[in-house]
Structure formats: C-alpha cells, structure tokens
Amino acid sequence: MKVNGKSRVYAIIGNPVDHSLSPVMHNAAFKELRLNSVYVAFTVTSGELKTAILGVKSLGLQGLNITMPHKHAVMNYLDEVDVTAKSVGVVNTVLCDHGKLIGYNTDGSGAISALQENGVYTEEKKMVLLGAGGAAKAIAYQASKDLDELVILNRTPEKAKKLAKSLKSFGAKVKSGTLSQEIVKTEMPTTDILVNATSVGMYPNSGFSPVPSDILHSDLCVMDIIYNPLNTQLAKDARAKGAKVVSGIEMLIYQGAVAFEIWTKLPAPIEVMRKATLNEFKK
Ligand code: NAP
C-alpha cells in the first residue's frame, strides 16, 4: 500500500526508540493484510510526554505502543485504562478510539501465548518467575489465573512479596522469595516452567545468567524474555541441558500481535510478523 492522505498512523513512543523492532513488525503486518496504515517511532522525553499524548489526539493517530520510560506515567494522560493494565501499573499499548485513549498491557498475554503456541502451557504446571519489575508483573497477573503454582523470586524480595500478595485472589498457589542460588536450587526439581523477567543477561552484559547452569534440567521449559541478544546465556545453558527453550522474541511477537488485534480487530499475521522481526537480527 502507498502512504497517502487516507493512511492510518500508528506509533511507538519512548526514549530511546531508534532500535525498536515494532515498526518493522507492524508495517509487515499492515502490508500483509493490505491495510492503508503506517507505523512510525517517535522519541519523546519524559518532559514532553503530556504534550505528545495531547498531540496524538489532535493528530488523530490510531494506536500507540509505549516503551521505556513512559509505561507507567502515560496512564496519567489516558481516558481509560483496562483492568489488567491498571493492576499491573504498566501500559504498553494504547487504542485511540474516536478521540478516546484507552490503555492496555499486552506483555502478560503475549508471554503466555508464546508459551502456549510453543506447546508448553497447561494448567497443572508450576512456574518460577525471576523478577518483579514491569514485565514480571504482567506475566504474573496472567499466569496466576491459569497455573497451579507460581513462585516469584526477585533480587529485592519485598517487591516479589508485594506482587505475590496482590495475586492471592487469582487461583494459583503463589509464593515469593529472594532470587538466590539456594532458593532457585530448592525450587527447580519440581518446576516445569522457568521464566527470566529480570534484565540479567541483557546486552551489553550478555555473558551473564540469573541462575547457575547446573540447576537446569531436561524436563524444564525455559523462557528468557530478553531478546537482545536473541540467544541469551540462560537460553544457551538450558539448551545444553536438554530443556525446551522459548525465546524472548516470541513474547515480543505475541505481545505485538495482541496490540495489533486491539487496534485493527483483525487476526494478526503472526508468521509474517515473526519473519520480519527475525530478519532484523540478520542485518
Ligand atoms: P524493570 O521493571 O526495570 O525490572 C527489572 C527487573 O530485573 C527487576 O526485577 C530487577 O530487580 C531485576 N534486576 C535488574 N538487575 C538485576 C541484577 N543485577 N540481579 C538481579 N536482578 C536484577 O524492567 P522490565 O520492563 O520488567 O524488563 C525486564 C527485562 O525484560 C528487560 O530485559 C526487557 O528488555 C525485557 N522485556 C522483554 C519483553 C518482550 O516482549 N520479550 C517485554 C518487556 C520487557 P530489583 O527489583 O531488585 O531491582
């Protein structure tokens, strides 16, 4: 499709955004479905967030992704925030619905879809979730609705405790603790799914893993939500132990797919989005 006067405009806003994979992923999806839509990236500083969001309304943009450092602050400028995003305290997607801005969080459902689509997720499973930051919260909210047992471990245990407490009514058996080698070692033999939602192992500290390799086992599914690098140290260690690995790029693609469906009400062309996103790593 050619960009013209009727094109619908979508954007990611954050700082920095120049390495974001979202424009490539969503523009590939628009092209595949022959939608007259275009997705761009805008660098917005914290001081400019309010005026940028007012601009979104005046310019008539159709949808937004929100990235660091605005995922929490953006809620102050939206007309509505859906219940999951409100509970998590993080908005990563905004629908502009006839001038009304509605905030969503697609990270949790994206992570769970990535696991399910890779054939790993069932209700009887126990998950150990490392981290209690924005992404971990979103995953914990979604996972605790379906899982049998969820253990949240964080460097700052108070945050994990607070998160666990907020999930009590969701059905799963939830406990929390410190992210220490001893506790991870104790939990691992009975764990089915290990998710790293800390930033340990992210570029430029790519050689690090949040857990020692000797505690990993072949019955585990390991999802490291970090996608830079694509193949993290934890993912390498897990593969070497014969564990199933779901990459962070899968979560990125599925959270993008959920956002695409919120905006367009059309099924997201997952394969096209995956191919376009993975192609960026070959450059
Ligand atoms: P965040 O809110 O800043 O949380 C960071 C988490 O990492 C906290 O739990 C923090 O623990 C922990 N942490 C940081 N440094 C640590 C260290 N040296 N040792 C142990 N724990 C450490 O960040 P976020 O938004 O949740 O993002 C976390 C990671 O997920 C990032 O790498 C991000 O790129 C990735 N992510 C991926 C996707 C995807 O679609 N695949 C989506 C969102 C985020 P404390 O609480 O103790 O500080």
Side-chain angles (χ1 to χ4, degrees):
M1 296 295 294
K2 272 199 187 129
V3 175
N4 58 23
K6 291 181 185 158
S7 298
R8 295 158 79 89
V9 182
Y10 298 82
I12 181 163
I13 64 169
N15 188 17
V17 284
D18 45 351
H19 287 104
S20 171
L21 297 165
S22 297
V24 162
M25 179 165 66
H26 286 293
N27 283 320
F30 292 145
K31 189 174 171 197
E32 174 69 14
L33 300 188
R34 301 186 61 75
L35 300 176
N36 186 358
S37 300
V38 62
Y39 187 111
V40 290
F42 291 127
T43 303
V44 173
T45 63
S46 295
E48 291 163 332
L49 180 63
K50 185 178 177 182
T51 47
I53 297 296
L54 289 172
V56 165
K57 273 195 177 186
S58 0
L59 296 172
L61 268 65
Q62 303 293 317
L64 294 176
N65 280 132
I66 311 291
T67 189
M68 295 304 284
H70 308 314
K71 287 181 168 194
H72 180 72
V74 74
M75 285 198 271
N76 295 324
Y77 311 116
L78 302 178
D79 299 301
E80 258 177 49
V81 177
D82 103 314
V83 63
T84 304
K86 207 178 274 175
S87 311
V88 174
V90 172
V91 163
N92 73 340
T93 299
V94 175
L95 170 69
C96 312
D97 186 14
H98 300 94
K100 191 161 107 182
L101 303 185
I102 309 166
Y104 296 88
N105 185 309
T106 67
D107 277 340
S109 45
I112 300 308
S113 294
L115 286 169
Q116 286 172 335
E117 294 300 321
N118 282 276
V120 220
Y121 198 69
T122 74
E123 287 172 7
E124 294 85 40
K125 300 240 159 130
K126 168 178 169 179
M127 177 190 283
V128 169
L129 176 64
L130 310 179
K137 272 189 200 162
I139 296 170
Y141 270 89
Q142 202 66 36
S144 61
K145 291 177 188 164
D146 304 315
L147 283 164
D148 200 31
E149 194 177 347
L150 176 65
V151 181
I152 305 164
L153 303 177
N154 195 42
R155 177 177 62 177
T156 312
E158 296 76 22
K159 285 194 205 166
K161 193 175 172 186
K162 192 175 166 203
L163 175 56
K165 205 174 157 194
S166 71
L167 302 170
K168 284 281 185 257
S169 61
F170 285 16
K173 209 188 308 165
V174 186
K175 59 180 189 175
S176 69
T178 307
L179 173 46
S180 70
Q181 290 201 15
E182 298 69 41
I183 295 182
V184 176
K185 198 170 177 180
T186 311
E187 294 293 342
M188 231 17 62
T190 55
T191 296
D192 305 293
I193 305 167
L194 172 67
V195 176
N196 176 34
T198 74
S199 39
V200 179
M202 188 169 74
Y203 177 85
N205 300 309
S206 317
F208 294 94
S209 167
V211 296
S213 59
D214 62 347
I215 56 106
L216 302 170
H217 57 80
S218 59
D219 293 335
L220 264 182
C221 165
V222 176
M223 180 162 79
D224 193 338
I225 74 163
I226 291 171
Y227 54 83
N228 183 16
L230 213 47
N231 197 12
T232 60
Q233 188 60 48
L234 172 60
K236 285 180 197 166
D237 293 345
R239 269 192 207 97
K241 288 281 178 178
K244 187 174 181 73
V245 173
V246 177
S247 145
I249 206 75
E250 289 293 305
M251 173 174 159
L252 183 81
I253 291 159
Y254 281 97
Q255 66 74 33
V258 178
F260 185 91
E261 292 176 2
I262 288 171
W263 296 329
T264 65
K265 320 285 183 240
L266 296 169
I270 296 282
E271 274 318 311
V272 167
M273 294 167 86
R274 179 180 286 113
K275 194 173 164 200
T277 309
L278 288 174
N279 266 342
E280 289 300 291
F281 288 89
K282 294 184 186 147
K283 289 179 181 166

